Amino acid sequence: MDLAIFLATLLFGFFFGNKSTVASFTPADSYLIVCGSSQNVTLLDQTYIPDSTPQSSISLKSQGAASVTYTSNSSTTLPSPLYQSVRIFSTTASYKFNIKQEGRHWVRLYFYPLPNSGYDLTSATMTLVTENFVLLNNFTFKNYNGSHLFREYSINVTSDTLVLTIIPSNNSIAFINAIELVSVPDELIPDQALAISPSAPISGLSARAFETIYRLNLGGPLITPQNDTLGRTWVNDKKYLHVNSSAVTVAVNPLTVRYRALATQEIAPNWVYATADHMGDANVNNVNFNITWVFRVDPNFTYFVRLHFCDIVSKAMNNLVFNLYINSDLAFGSLDLSTLAGDLGVPYYRDFVSNSSADSNTLTVSIGPDTMADVTDAIMNGLEIMKMNNEFRSFDGLSPVETILPVSASKKNKRMAIIVGSVAGSLGVILLLGLCLFCLGCGRRTKDSQQGGHSWLPLPLYGNSLSLTKMSTSSQKSRTASCLSLASTNLGRVFTFQEIMDATNKFDESSLLGVGGFGRVYKGTSEDGTKLAVKRGNPRSEQGLAEFRTEIEMLSKLRHRHLVSLIGYCDERSEMILVYEYMANGPLRSHLYGTDLPSLSWKQRLEICIGAARGLHYLHTGATQSIIHRDVKTTNILLDENFVAKVADFGLSKTGPALDQTHVSTAVKGSFGYLDPEYFRRQQLTEKSDVYSFGVVLMEVLCTRPALNPVLPRDQVNIAEWAMTWQKKGMLDQIMDKNLIGKVNPASLKKYGETAEKCLAEYGVDRPSMGDVLWNLEYALQLEETSSVLTEPEDNSTNHIQGIALNPPPLEAFDNSSVCMVEGASCGEEDVATSAVFSQLVNPRGR
Ligand SMILES: *[C@@H]1O[C@H](CO)[C@@H](O)[C@H](O)[C@H]1NC(C)=O
Ligand SMILES: *[C@@H]1O[C@H](CO)[C@@H](O)[C@H](O)[C@H]1NC(C)=O
Ligand SMILES: *[C@@H]1O[C@H](CO)[C@@H](O)[C@H](O)[C@H]1NC(C)=O
Ligand SMILES: *[C@@H]1O[C@H](CO)[C@@H](O)[C@H](O)[C@H]1NC(C)=O
């Protein structure tokens, strides 16, 4: 962990030397001013010009008594060279800046009560305002715990000048050391974000001003303004961690961070995305902890929270799925990072608006595991918290600019009337009114906001990215296309969106069953009381749209006792909703580990594996065209109320090789840990890729641990490699689930281990077909059942068990009566060629 920081620091030293790696945004307005100085101050590459320099674009106006300037001679103990001079005022003074380009600007202010200036600057009390916002209100170092003050505001300037007015309060004096006024790219702060508790999109942010309170580079070193294209400072987060040891830092080479979709170099530099905190001691059996950061905030304000993410830990897509909380409220459930970002190593961010936690002066941000995810991990790379101006357009107190600067009040009479009116009321009324004003400001978004005002709405629907509009237009297009193609086939019942809402109690979070790359799955009940599983696609995912169609088309043609049936779908309102039969006992994985469910017996496990193998075998051979599942894993094998296993999630399915090809070439998809190494290497897909994944499932069922657990020692991380080494030694029983010890017939276990081993063969050609796998699992079940009937001395040979007549595999194994095609595909005899590898298994019926 410390090594990571060390390496990151080294990288910093190395790359920061090379200025060209920081692409630069060129601000239209850029004023860097040192106040009271008689000479330029150069700080790294930037020159700060004295405020006394005659410039047409800036003017300093001081009413009455002149200002005093003081330049300190010794700069050795100063926090920054910008603090070595100061301008002191005894009356109200203002700096007026000409603005070339309207829009958001940084206003950065530096204050340091220089000793020996001839004035007692520590007791100076000052108020600082722009035309619209109160930045400081009666600030004095006497009540401040710190030697110097740096403030950064982001203000949308909507006129051709910005006037900063400094007012000494109560016959005191005021001072300032340096000012920066620099343009910010318009995209930096969007107009919308998601409010937390109640969860609803909120607009009107473009009119608000922000004050930076915290800006953290999680798990990484300090990033100075020179290394940020917008001159920001990012500090390490360690002191804000609630439990210091809960996070493990990780760092990669910043040059491997690729800006693709949402985020740009301006949103945050790659140095931020190249380091992160992620979950530490993620022990398989005790994954229940969050990483929490705690921040002190003024509870009288609302905060804009921007969280930065970049998956720099995963080896494959869709592995990192986690929950995000703000003040213990779920801000984003099942955040599937790689899907949202589009790829690994691609920066992504999310904006929220939140108050401090109830009855406290803290704001907390937590990330924690999603119990349905394959890998237990959560990550965050950067965090920004900005205070938003209150309804008095102030960052400090309840006085608007108008009451502080009565002279200019006439300009804003209208707004004043409203505010004065509300001041008369109680604080509660004031807050309400402020809210109303804010809502009015939302203008044309109000309708959408209402629609989205329900807390059940998942986040992605109301994202704030600029690309969203473009995205939804194209989604619209594809949806129309899908309607046309869907209309021509019989695809089951078409549900209205209202029916879906009623069935799921408006997608109540408490009925969430799980989350996948495609979207969220809710439990529902139809009007006749039938239980349903409602899978709601994420509308922003183009990939999802394609998969939606694939899945409907595919599923509507397939009916099998061991495949989860599609009941219908809904594509109203750009929704992609699939309705399936409800599987009462949920995913197989939840019966293996990570939950408190009772342990499955060996016989139950065998029956479940056999059921799943039948489902896959049917996919591979039952239809006119072979279907490759592509994402076989324990969360895609579901159990009904009688523990009958059914294969689910054909979202990733692709039809198998046509006659002229021996494989389907396609982008690598699927879940890491289950991925066929051959498929991974050659991007070629055959049914044998599913067989490999099924081998991983078999090992997982036996050993009850995740396919991939990155926190284990290196040789144990990947279950396929780890279990294979034990299987080759014939010692699989050493690593199997402790609950099975002494309750498994060794011959059955041996057969099972051999079957899994064959499935996990390096090369597809060496792996058995699903039909062969099915035979062998049936055989393992036979061995288990006969052994429990006859308590014979154990015989480790699987070829013959003396004195026991081997029953034939149950007829159902190859009974087509359980297979029913809706259309097309014939239900011919499967070609279950008994391979040489499995030749010991001769069908006793001579079939
Ligand atoms: C200060 O910097 C400005 C802009 O870089 C330059 O034009 C000016 O000559 C400098 N003044 C002195 C005294 O160096
Ligand atoms: C600034 O405010 C104006 C007027 O409210 C708005 O049109 C503009 O989009 C805002 N700019 C930014 C960058 O928020
Ligand atoms: C919040 O506002 C109340 C009422 O104006 C005030 O008494 C309190 O000090 C404020 N809290 C903080 C932390 O400033
Ligand atoms: C993480 O924090 C959230 C919010 O406080 C809480 O609901 C959840 O149970 C926590 N998760 C774990 C595993 O502690």
Side-chain angles (χ1 to χ4, degrees):
M1 170 185 348
D2 289 339
L3 181 70
I5 291 180
F6 172 72
L7 284 177
T9 318
L10 273 188
L11 283 171
F12 257 64
F14 179 71
F15 290 110
F16 275 179
N18 182 0
K19 191 75 181 166
S20 69
T21 57
V22 178
S24 43
F25 156 77
T26 312
D29 296 304
S30 179
Y31 295 104
L32 308 176
I33 311 291
V34 278
C35 306
S37 177
S38 53
Q39 60 202 21
N40 286 351
V41 173
T42 303
L43 198 58
L44 290 148
D45 282 357
Q46 300 197 297
T47 303
Y48 288 74
I49 296 168
D51 59 351
S52 53
T53 309
Q55 278 188 72
S56 56
S57 52
I58 313 180
S59 60
L60 169 58
K61 195 173 78 187
S62 185
Q63 305 166 346
S67 55
V68 175
T69 64
Y70 171 79
T71 308
S72 160
N73 341 338
S74 91
S75 62
T76 45
T77 57
L78 295 174
S80 151
L82 294 179
Y83 293 113
Q84 66 185 303
S85 68
V86 62
R87 185 170 293 273
I88 303 165
F89 308 94
S90 59
T91 59
T92 298
S94 49
Y95 287 92
K96 182 173 172 187
F97 300 88
N98 286 348
I99 298 295
K100 287 203 202 95
Q101 194 175 315
E102 293 181 12
R104 235 165 236 293
H105 287 69
W106 295 125
V107 176
R108 297 188 176 115
L109 308 172
Y110 297 79
F111 305 90
Y112 177 58
L114 273 170
N116 314 321
S117 64
Y119 290 86
D120 179 10
L121 297 184
T122 344
S123 62
T125 306
M126 49 212 175
T127 296
L128 208 144
V129 302
T130 67
E131 293 106 309
N132 292 307
F133 298 101
V134 179
L135 308 184
L136 290 180
N137 190 7
N138 286 331
F139 173 85
T140 171
F141 275 93
K142 256 199 281 190
N143 307 331
Y144 180 72
N145 180 22
S147 68
H148 60 284
L149 178 72
F150 168 73
R151 283 283 172 89
E152 178 185 271
Y153 303 88
S154 156
I155 295 175
N156 181 359
V157 182
T158 50
S159 70
D160 56 4
T161 56
L162 177 90
V163 181
L164 264 183
T165 304
I166 304 176
I167 307 146
S169 317
N170 336 319
N171 298 322
S172 153
I173 49 168
F175 69 91
I176 189 158
N177 304 69
I179 302 169
E180 291 175 26
L181 177 67
V182 185
S183 302
V184 171
D186 284 346
E187 305 75 44
L188 190 68
I189 306 226
D191 190 55
Q192 254 195 68
L194 191 98
I196 304 295
S197 182
S199 164
I202 189 168
S203 351
L205 300 186
S206 58
R208 293 279 194 122
F210 299 84
E211 179 191 331
T212 308
I213 308 286
Y214 298 99
R215 185 178 286 131
L216 308 180
N217 178 20
L218 305 186
L222 173 75
I223 297 172
T224 57
Q226 290 70 39
N227 296 307
D228 179 298
T229 53
L230 302 183
R232 292 164 295 197
T233 302
W234 303 74
V235 304
N236 179 262
D237 63 305
K238 204 160 187 172
K239 67 179 175 193
Y240 303 104
L241 277 171
H242 182 50
V243 179
N244 205 332
S245 58
S246 64
V248 171
T249 60
V250 56
V252 298
N253 181 339
L255 297 180
T256 63
V257 170
R258 293 163 301 145
Y259 290 93
R260 285 267 182 84
L262 199 54
T264 60
Q265 186 76 251
E266 274 68 50
I267 294 296
N270 53 356
W271 311 102
V272 170
Y273 292 111
T275 65
D277 279 342
H278 71 130
M279 284 176 65
D281 325 310
N283 182 310
V284 181
N285 295 316
N286 180 22
V287 294
N288 281 338
F289 72 94
N290 289 328
I291 304 179
T292 300
W293 292 263
V294 180
F295 303 96
R296 289 199 144 266
V297 293
D298 179 342
N300 296 331
F301 288 85
T302 298
Y303 296 87
F304 175 81
V305 180
R306 171 166 289 175
L307 305 175
H308 299 268
F309 304 96
C310 182
D311 187 346
I312 54 174
V313 294
S314 296
K315 302 279 187 300
M317 299 281 288
N318 305 111
N319 270 306
L320 203 49
V321 180
F322 54 93
N323 290 331
L324 179 65
Y325 307 89
I326 294 181
N327 294 335
S328 332
D329 294 311
L330 187 68
F332 198 142
S334 304
L335 191 159
D336 180 349
L337 186 51
S338 57
T339 300
L340 292 170
D343 206 346
L344 302 175
V346 174
Y348 183 76
Y349 67 97
R350 271 284 173 185
D351 297 329
F352 302 94
V353 169
S354 176
N355 290 316
S356 62
S357 54
D359 309 321
S360 114
N361 55 354
T362 60
L363 190 153
T364 64
V365 176
S366 312
I367 52 173
D370 179 351
T371 48
M372 294 309 296
D374 290 329
V375 176
T376 298
D377 201 357
I379 192 170
M380 190 146 73
N381 307 55
L383 180 153
E384 293 172 89
I385 297 180
M386 299 190 191
K387 190 195 238 182
M388 290 163 58
N389 66 273
N390 63 14
E391 58 273 29
F392 304 103
R393 282 171 286 119
S394 171
F395 288 97
D396 187 3
L398 309 179
S399 315
V401 174
E402 289 80 357
T403 61
I404 293 170
L405 281 185
V407 198
S408 63
S410 58
K411 272 202 279 179
K412 310 206 161 70
N413 263 342
K414 259 191 186 166
R415 262 189 249 175
M416 266 293 280
I418 296 165
I419 287 158
V420 169
S422 62
V423 166
S426 70
L427 187 65
V429 174
I430 294 171
L431 288 176
L432 260 179
L433 206 81
L435 207 70
C436 293
L437 276 177
F438 192 64
C439 291
L440 283 176
C442 301
R444 65 196 153 77
R445 298 292 314 177
T446 311
K447 211 175 152 219
D448 284 5
S449 309
Q450 269 166 5
Q451 189 190 327
H454 309 285
S455 51
W456 53 263
L457 263 179
L459 217 45
L461 288 178
Y462 296 91
N464 47 43
S465 79
L466 295 168
S467 59
L468 185 58
T469 350
K470 196 177 126 242
M471 197 67 135
S472 52
T473 326
S474 58
S475 310
Q476 200 68 37
K477 261 190 229 140
S478 0
R479 195 177 75 87
T480 320
S482 82
C483 281
L484 292 177
S485 67
L486 291 181
S488 59
T489 45
N490 176 14
L491 299 170
R493 175 173 168 192
V494 182
F495 287 82
T496 66
F497 190 66
Q498 190 56 47
E499 283 172 323
I500 300 282
M501 293 270 282
D502 293 344
T504 56
N505 193 16
K506 297 182 179 167
F507 300 98
D508 189 359
E509 285 298 313
S510 64
S511 59
L512 191 66
L513 294 172
V515 177
F518 178 86
R520 301 154 85 83
V521 187
Y522 298 85
K523 180 177 172 179
T525 313
S526 71
E527 62 282 8
D528 66 359
T530 314
K531 295 235 172 58
L532 307 169
V534 176
K535 192 167 175 184
R536 186 184 201 193
N538 174 349
R540 286 178 66 183
S541 151
E542 288 288 311
Q543 172 202 4
L545 274 165
E547 285 175 4
F548 183 62
R549 262 166 285 146
T550 314
E551 188 151 0
I552 291 192
E553 280 163 22
M554 188 96 66
L555 270 176
S556 58
K557 288 188 214 147
L558 301 170
R559 287 283 186 274
H560 188 273
R561 182 169 137 77
H562 294 286
L563 297 182
V564 175
S565 322
L566 180 72
I567 293 174
Y569 71 98
C570 165
D571 66 350
E572 233 173 74
R573 298 208 212 172
S574 309
E575 291 281 351
M576 302 185 296
I577 296 171
L578 293 168
V579 181
Y580 294 90
E581 63 175 315
Y582 175 67
M583 301 292 286
N585 277 307
L588 168 59
R589 178 177 157 144
S590 61
H591 296 269
L592 299 175
Y593 51 87
T595 64
D596 300 330
L597 296 174
S599 167
L600 296 171
S601 72
W602 181 238
K603 183 161 173 269
Q604 274 178 310
R605 294 185 205 207
L606 285 172
E607 282 167 347
I608 288 165
C609 291
I610 287 167
R614 262 190 214 145
L616 288 173
H617 176 55
Y618 169 70
L619 280 183
H620 289 178
T621 60
T624 34
Q625 215 181 358
S626 168
I627 292 163
I628 300 166
H629 186 291
R630 301 218 293 167
D631 200 15
V632 176
K633 55 181 176 180
T634 48
T635 46
N636 277 342
I637 296 172
L638 305 182
L639 305 176
D640 74 4
E641 65 279 10
N642 300 317
F643 284 88
V644 172
K646 304 196 184 199
V647 177
D649 202 350
F650 301 88
L652 296 176
S653 302
K654 277 267 163 73
T655 44
L659 287 175
D660 55 341
Q661 288 173 287
T662 54
H663 66 270
V664 177
S665 181
T666 167
V668 171
K669 274 179 157 190
S671 303
F672 198 63
Y674 295 91
L675 259 185
D676 170 8
E678 193 169 56
Y679 171 30
F680 201 69
R681 273 195 309 268
R682 298 163 58 193
Q683 309 223 336
Q684 290 179 353
L685 184 73
T686 69
E687 290 90 340
K688 297 296 178 69
S689 307
D690 282 352
V691 174
Y692 180 90
S693 306
F694 191 73
V696 177
V697 167
L698 292 179
M699 291 304 193
E700 207 177 328
V701 166
L702 180 69
C703 305
T704 53
R705 53 150 283 187
L708 201 72
N709 186 354
V711 303
L712 288 175
R714 204 189 162 84
D715 60 329
Q716 297 182 25
V717 167
N718 188 325
I719 196 174
E721 286 170 18
W722 180 61
M724 278 293 262
T725 57
W726 289 89
Q727 164 61 21
K728 287 196 172 122
K729 288 187 276 184
M731 291 164 73
L732 212 48
D733 57 334
Q734 298 293 305
I735 58 164
M736 73 180 182
D737 182 5
K738 287 183 198 69
N739 293 310
L740 293 176
I741 290 170
K743 298 176 192 157
V744 178
N745 171 284
S748 171
L749 177 62
K750 186 166 184 232
K751 179 86 269 174
Y752 184 93
E754 285 168 3
T755 311
E757 181 180 354
K758 295 284 189 300
C759 291
L760 293 173
E762 183 72 16
Y763 297 98
V765 290
D766 299 330
R767 294 175 207 147
S769 70
M770 270 330 285
D772 287 339
V773 174
L774 184 51
W775 270 84
N776 281 270
L777 291 175
E778 294 275 5
Y779 190 86
L781 180 62
Q782 295 279 326
L783 292 170
E784 178 63 24
E785 283 179 333
T786 49
S787 77
S788 59
V789 175
L790 304 175
T791 45
E792 280 259 319
E794 280 161 357
D795 175 0
N796 266 2
S797 151
T798 54
N799 291 346
H800 296 286
I801 297 178
Q802 289 287 316
I804 300 173
L806 188 60
N807 292 330
L811 204 58
E812 202 205 353
F814 305 108
D815 180 359
N816 282 325
S817 64
S818 64
V819 173
C820 155
M821 301 298 294
V822 167
E823 60 171 38
S826 77
C827 297
E829 287 280 291
E830 282 108 337
D831 177 22
V832 190
T834 316
S835 74
V837 181
F838 292 85
S839 58
Q840 82 274 19
L841 238 195
V842 179
N843 186 335
R845 275 191 174 175
R847 182 172 183 261

